[in-house]
Amino acid sequence: MEKSLTLAELKSPVQYVKGIGPSRAKTLAKAGVQTCLDLLYYFPRTYQDRTKFSLIPFLKDGEIATVKGRVISVQETRPKPGLHLLKVIISDGRGRAEGVWFNQPFLKKQFSSGKEVIFSGRVSRRFGPIQFSNPDWEILDEDKDPLHTGRIVPVYPLTGNLTQRAFRRKMKDIIDSYAPMVPEFLPPSFLAKFGLMPLNLALSQIHFPESLKQLQEAKRRFIYEELLLLQLGFALRWKERKARGGISFKTEGSLTQKFLSSLPFPLTEGQSQALEDIRKDMRSTRPMNRLLQGEVGSGKTVLACYAMLVAVQNGYQAAFMAPTEILAGQHFLVLQEFLRDFPLKVALITSGTQKNQKEEIREALKEGKIDIAVGTHALIQEEVSFRKLGLVVIDEQHRFGVMQRKILKEKGENPDMLVLTATPIPRSLALTIYGDFDISTIKGLPSGRQPITTYLVNTSREKDVYDFLKKEIIKGRQAYIVCPRIGEEGKEDESLAAQAALKLRDYLQKEVFPDFQLGLLHGRMPTSEKEEVMRLFKQNEIQILVSTSVIEVGIDVPNASVMVIWNADRFGLAQLHQLRGRVGRGPYKSYCILLADPKNEDALKRLDVMVRTNDGFLISAEDLKIRGPGEFFGLEQHGTPELKVADLFLPETQKFLEDCREQAFLFSNEGKGLFKKFPLLKEMMEARFPFSSGLGEVG
């Protein structure tokens, strides 16, 4: 019976694994492989099925094929100085094929007449004889199974100077030596319930599968394992939060009643349902941890404002954190508008806030003189403290890391948390990213909102677009013109963008719209100037607002009916949808014109989606398909669980997730007892998903 590897052995540096050494360890470290366990879980990125042998005479030019035959000739030539050509001719009894290698004379000693070999690679029949240029090859040996051909061959995600052939050989030795000794850590009940392979066999079959069926079963084992570890982390975090207890707020009071009665519109059915979810959470003694997702313009900020008023009327403070200064500033302006007639103090704090003003705000927060603090990462600085923080609201949380969210929460005693996102996502993805959140979705838009007609127009037709704008403005409407984005999405160069916007505004005012009043808005402007521009625009004293993408959220001008976006192909789908959401807010027919000359297929796909639909959920799903989860959330999303095996695009992943989520919450009820029985389960969970570190101590 094989001995089991200890946890210490599994966590030992990879350089001490036989056959790796310091040099290969440095190269593997670049791919995130640090330990023996990492190496065992360094799965192939794809596989090549080389189990089917083709007959040489029937090979087609350009196809990928595998053939088996005996060596009948080995030839060396030097066509010119510095070029060595090795040609190995084989026969399968029906035809002949040549394996050709350039500048690899050392291979000659591997081949000799009569030896049975396998070639795999791309076929060439263009120059007379059938050739395989630099094929994968294998000398058949009765005592050894083929490794590089004649089987399902693993292809690894290699870096540096590692080659597939050499690394494959090393991995085969490592798997044969180590896999039988890796202890199983998943509960037997879980393996039995879902019919999963034991770990030893699964490791062997995912690296060097004996058949496609065995490969699929091994993958299935690791998908369930990965999703269970993730969902167990979420379940334990949920359990820990519940055990700590939170604030039980009284949701009815003078501030909330006044706020709801002051709204100029009735809440939609979706808003009302989400509002009831929030009320229920805030009345509970368990801290609220709710994700509120909904369309652009669906009214999420209204509900966030209500929740903050609940906290304030109970004697607590609220914090509202947004990922950028621009978004924080706009939320601040919106809240000021909502709460103009309320006896509350709302403050804005960002990295751009002047030093003396920042110090005043910090002192006022500490003393409890500020009821609602709106800000960016500046809110989580060590110098910022609250007298009595009761609620944390985070906008577009996927742009923040887990630790940033945690730091803000720790500025109070188990405050409630409400997360807003206008990027609706499929349930499978929501369970992956927000697994420890309760989720509310606002479906539908407030009454009176108009569907927006979207057009994709080539930049060469800008005159036609401006003529259309003139007609709308003569009717009494207003318009936005958004400048091209400068820099990567989410990382715009505000200084250059401001210059471009100023230049465009001056040109349009002088040459195109001399009879109308144009305004300018960009992120470099002081808050007071932004407020004045928006005041004039809302009063129709400015007919056309030339802007950078700072207007993507928080601006509500019902009279604006046209949104023109220059070089729309430079924007992401989510940002385009946000920008489009600035129009269609009144009773007037509204339009979004995408001025673009897309140069690649992805850009054209994005713009086509915008033209086809106004549905934010569909747009989000399409964006995810085009960009994939990593790019979809951007580089700033530190702490988002990265799935290495499970594919969120496969329909069956939803079922796997639901299975694992249900089982994880059942396991979490065992508390410490679970990890006493399965100590490696906790280690694997924390190693795979660091956010779960330290959980599981309750119960």
PDB file of all heavy atoms in Angstrom, residues 582-598:
ATOM      1  N   ARG A 582     -28.130  57.753 -20.667  1.00  0.00           N
ATOM      2  CA  ARG A 582     -28.336  59.165 -20.289  1.00  0.00           C
ATOM      3  C   ARG A 582     -29.498  59.788 -21.054  1.00  0.00           C
ATOM      4  O   ARG A 582     -29.985  60.849 -20.668  1.00  0.00           O
ATOM      5  CB  ARG A 582     -27.070  59.987 -20.564  1.00  0.00           C
ATOM      6  CG  ARG A 582     -25.829  59.616 -19.773  1.00  0.00           C
ATOM      7  CD  ARG A 582     -26.104  59.482 -18.297  1.00  0.00           C
ATOM      8  NE  ARG A 582     -26.204  58.078 -17.904  1.00  0.00           N
ATOM      9  CZ  ARG A 582     -26.882  57.652 -16.860  1.00  0.00           C
ATOM     10  NH1 ARG A 582     -27.557  58.492 -16.121  1.00  0.00           N
ATOM     11  NH2 ARG A 582     -26.907  56.380 -16.561  1.00  0.00           N
ATOM     12  N   VAL A 583     -29.938  59.161 -22.169  1.00  0.00           N
ATOM     13  CA  VAL A 583     -31.096  59.690 -22.892  1.00  0.00           C
ATOM     14  C   VAL A 583     -32.259  58.713 -22.723  1.00  0.00           C
ATOM     15  O   VAL A 583     -32.125  57.661 -22.115  1.00  0.00           O
ATOM     16  CB  VAL A 583     -30.779  59.924 -24.392  1.00  0.00           C
ATOM     17  CG1 VAL A 583     -29.721  61.002 -24.538  1.00  0.00           C
ATOM     18  CG2 VAL A 583     -30.333  58.642 -25.088  1.00  0.00           C
ATOM     19  N   GLY A 584     -33.415  59.090 -23.267  1.00  0.00           N
ATOM     20  CA  GLY A 584     -34.596  58.248 -23.104  1.00  0.00           C
ATOM     21  C   GLY A 584     -35.204  58.357 -21.721  1.00  0.00           C
ATOM     22  O   GLY A 584     -35.933  57.474 -21.282  1.00  0.00           O
ATOM     23  N   ARG A 585     -34.920  59.462 -21.003  1.00  0.00           N
ATOM     24  CA  ARG A 585     -35.389  59.620 -19.625  1.00  0.00           C
ATOM     25  C   ARG A 585     -36.632  60.513 -19.533  1.00  0.00           C
ATOM     26  O   ARG A 585     -37.083  60.808 -18.429  1.00  0.00           O
ATOM     27  CB  ARG A 585     -34.254  60.189 -18.767  1.00  0.00           C
ATOM     28  CG  ARG A 585     -33.123  59.188 -18.602  1.00  0.00           C
ATOM     29  CD  ARG A 585     -31.895  59.730 -17.909  1.00  0.00           C
ATOM     30  NE  ARG A 585     -31.045  58.614 -17.526  1.00  0.00           N
ATOM     31  CZ  ARG A 585     -30.982  58.091 -16.305  1.00  0.00           C
ATOM     32  NH1 ARG A 585     -31.716  58.604 -15.339  1.00  0.00           N
ATOM     33  NH2 ARG A 585     -30.198  57.066 -16.047  1.00  0.00           N
ATOM     34  N   GLY A 586     -37.136  60.951 -20.665  1.00  0.00           N
ATOM     35  CA  GLY A 586     -38.334  61.789 -20.670  1.00  0.00           C
ATOM     36  C   GLY A 586     -39.352  61.224 -21.643  1.00  0.00           C
ATOM     37  O   GLY A 586     -39.220  60.102 -22.129  1.00  0.00           O
ATOM     38  N   PRO A 587     -40.361  61.995 -22.008  1.00  0.00           N
ATOM     39  CA  PRO A 587     -41.427  61.507 -22.885  1.00  0.00           C
ATOM     40  C   PRO A 587     -41.094  61.590 -24.373  1.00  0.00           C
ATOM     41  O   PRO A 587     -41.966  61.349 -25.209  1.00  0.00           O
ATOM     42  CB  PRO A 587     -42.599  62.447 -22.538  1.00  0.00           C
ATOM     43  CG  PRO A 587     -41.935  63.729 -22.150  1.00  0.00           C
ATOM     44  CD  PRO A 587     -40.660  63.349 -21.476  1.00  0.00           C
ATOM     45  N   TYR A 588     -39.846  61.945 -24.699  1.00  0.00           N
ATOM     46  CA  TYR A 588     -39.496  62.198 -26.099  1.00  0.00           C
ATOM     47  C   TYR A 588     -38.766  61.012 -26.743  1.00  0.00           C
ATOM     48  O   TYR A 588     -37.998  60.316 -26.073  1.00  0.00           O
ATOM     49  CB  TYR A 588     -38.614  63.445 -26.205  1.00  0.00           C
ATOM     50  CG  TYR A 588     -39.159  64.616 -25.429  1.00  0.00           C
ATOM     51  CD1 TYR A 588     -38.524  65.055 -24.271  1.00  0.00           C
ATOM     52  CD2 TYR A 588     -40.329  65.264 -25.829  1.00  0.00           C
ATOM     53  CE1 TYR A 588     -39.030  66.119 -23.536  1.00  0.00           C
ATOM     54  CE2 TYR A 588     -40.849  66.322 -25.102  1.00  0.00           C
ATOM     55  CZ  TYR A 588     -40.198  66.747 -23.956  1.00  0.00           C
ATOM     56  OH  TYR A 588     -40.714  67.788 -23.229  1.00  0.00           O
ATOM     57  N   LYS A 589     -39.023  60.823 -28.028  1.00  0.00           N
ATOM     58  CA  LYS A 589     -38.312  59.802 -28.796  1.00  0.00           C
ATOM     59  C   LYS A 589     -36.817  60.089 -28.709  1.00  0.00           C
ATOM     60  O   LYS A 589     -36.374  61.220 -28.916  1.00  0.00           O
ATOM     61  CB  LYS A 589     -38.782  59.848 -30.258  1.00  0.00           C
ATOM     62  CG  LYS A 589     -38.064  58.904 -31.191  1.00  0.00           C
ATOM     63  CD  LYS A 589     -38.329  57.455 -30.840  1.00  0.00           C
ATOM     64  CE  LYS A 589     -37.574  56.506 -31.777  1.00  0.00           C
ATOM     65  NZ  LYS A 589     -37.612  55.127 -31.286  1.00  0.00           N
ATOM     66  N   SER A 590     -36.028  59.055 -28.388  1.00  0.00           N
ATOM     67  CA  SER A 590     -34.601  59.285 -28.153  1.00  0.00           C
ATOM     68  C   SER A 590     -33.729  58.401 -29.042  1.00  0.00           C
ATOM     69  O   SER A 590     -34.151  57.324 -29.489  1.00  0.00           O
ATOM     70  CB  SER A 590     -34.268  59.032 -26.681  1.00  0.00           C
ATOM     71  OG  SER A 590     -34.925  59.977 -25.865  1.00  0.00           O
ATOM     72  N   TYR A 591     -32.493  58.887 -29.252  1.00  0.00           N
ATOM     73  CA  TYR A 591     -31.589  58.230 -30.195  1.00  0.00           C
ATOM     74  C   TYR A 591     -30.173  58.155 -29.623  1.00  0.00           C
ATOM     75  O   TYR A 591     -29.728  59.052 -28.902  1.00  0.00           O
ATOM     76  CB  TYR A 591     -31.526  59.009 -31.511  1.00  0.00           C
ATOM     77  CG  TYR A 591     -32.878  59.305 -32.113  1.00  0.00           C
ATOM     78  CD1 TYR A 591     -33.590  60.456 -31.752  1.00  0.00           C
ATOM     79  CD2 TYR A 591     -33.460  58.430 -33.031  1.00  0.00           C
ATOM     80  CE1 TYR A 591     -34.843  60.723 -32.291  1.00  0.00           C
ATOM     81  CE2 TYR A 591     -34.712  58.701 -33.581  1.00  0.00           C
ATOM     82  CZ  TYR A 591     -35.401  59.852 -33.203  1.00  0.00           C
ATOM     83  OH  TYR A 591     -36.631  60.115 -33.735  1.00  0.00           O
ATOM     84  N   CYS A 592     -29.482  57.080 -29.975  1.00  0.00           N
ATOM     85  CA  CYS A 592     -28.047  56.958 -29.676  1.00  0.00           C
ATOM     86  C   CYS A 592     -27.348  56.697 -31.001  1.00  0.00           C
ATOM     87  O   CYS A 592     -27.702  55.755 -31.725  1.00  0.00           O
ATOM     88  CB  CYS A 592     -27.785  55.812 -28.701  1.00  0.00           C
ATOM     89  SG  CYS A 592     -26.033  55.570 -28.331  1.00  0.00           S
ATOM     90  N   ILE A 593     -26.381  57.562 -31.321  1.00  0.00           N
ATOM     91  CA  ILE A 593     -25.669  57.440 -32.600  1.00  0.00           C
ATOM     92  C   ILE A 593     -24.218  57.083 -32.309  1.00  0.00           C
ATOM     93  O   ILE A 593     -23.488  57.840 -31.661  1.00  0.00           O
ATOM     94  CB  ILE A 593     -25.758  58.741 -33.412  1.00  0.00           C
ATOM     95  CG1 ILE A 593     -27.239  59.059 -33.699  1.00  0.00           C
ATOM     96  CG2 ILE A 593     -24.963  58.625 -34.706  1.00  0.00           C
ATOM     97  CD1 ILE A 593     -27.463  60.420 -34.327  1.00  0.00           C
ATOM     98  N   LEU A 594     -23.813  55.912 -32.776  1.00  0.00           N
ATOM     99  CA  LEU A 594     -22.452  55.425 -32.576  1.00  0.00           C
ATOM    100  C   LEU A 594     -21.627  55.778 -33.809  1.00  0.00           C
ATOM    101  O   LEU A 594     -21.778  55.165 -34.869  1.00  0.00           O
ATOM    102  CB  LEU A 594     -22.461  53.908 -32.358  1.00  0.00           C
ATOM    103  CG  LEU A 594     -23.407  53.388 -31.268  1.00  0.00           C
ATOM    104  CD1 LEU A 594     -23.450  51.865 -31.278  1.00  0.00           C
ATOM    105  CD2 LEU A 594     -22.980  53.900 -29.902  1.00  0.00           C
ATOM    106  N   LEU A 595     -20.801  56.793 -33.677  1.00  0.00           N
ATOM    107  CA  LEU A 595     -19.923  57.189 -34.787  1.00  0.00           C
ATOM    108  C   LEU A 595     -18.660  56.346 -34.706  1.00  0.00           C
ATOM    109  O   LEU A 595     -17.893  56.446 -33.741  1.00  0.00           O
ATOM    110  CB  LEU A 595     -19.565  58.664 -34.676  1.00  0.00           C
ATOM    111  CG  LEU A 595     -20.531  59.663 -35.318  1.00  0.00           C
ATOM    112  CD1 LEU A 595     -20.160  61.084 -34.919  1.00  0.00           C
ATOM    113  CD2 LEU A 595     -20.522  59.533 -36.841  1.00  0.00           C
ATOM    114  N   ALA A 596     -18.449  55.502 -35.707  1.00  0.00           N
ATOM    115  CA  ALA A 596     -17.300  54.594 -35.618  1.00  0.00           C
ATOM    116  C   ALA A 596     -16.938  54.036 -36.981  1.00  0.00           C
ATOM    117  O   ALA A 596     -17.759  54.005 -37.902  1.00  0.00           O
ATOM    118  CB  ALA A 596     -17.608  53.444 -34.662  1.00  0.00           C
ATOM    119  N   ASP A 597     -15.713  53.605 -37.059  1.00  0.00           N
ATOM    120  CA  ASP A 597     -15.211  52.919 -38.248  1.00  0.00           C
ATOM    121  C   ASP A 597     -14.434  51.707 -37.743  1.00  0.00           C
ATOM    122  O   ASP A 597     -13.193  51.693 -37.756  1.00  0.00           O
ATOM    123  CB  ASP A 597     -14.294  53.860 -39.046  1.00  0.00           C
ATOM    124  CG  ASP A 597     -13.833  53.241 -40.348  1.00  0.00           C
ATOM    125  OD1 ASP A 597     -14.442  52.249 -40.775  1.00  0.00           O
ATOM    126  OD2 ASP A 597     -12.838  53.740 -40.917  1.00  0.00           O
ATOM    127  N   PRO A 598     -15.148  50.689 -37.223  1.00  0.00           N
ATOM    128  CA  PRO A 598     -14.492  49.578 -36.529  1.00  0.00           C
ATOM    129  C   PRO A 598     -13.502  48.832 -37.424  1.00  0.00           C
ATOM    130  O   PRO A 598     -13.797  48.531 -38.580  1.00  0.00           O
ATOM    131  CB  PRO A 598     -15.649  48.673 -36.107  1.00  0.00           C
ATOM    132  CG  PRO A 598     -16.806  49.086 -36.947  1.00  0.00           C
ATOM    133  CD  PRO A 598     -16.606  50.516 -37.278  1.00  0.00           C
TER     134      PRO A 598
END
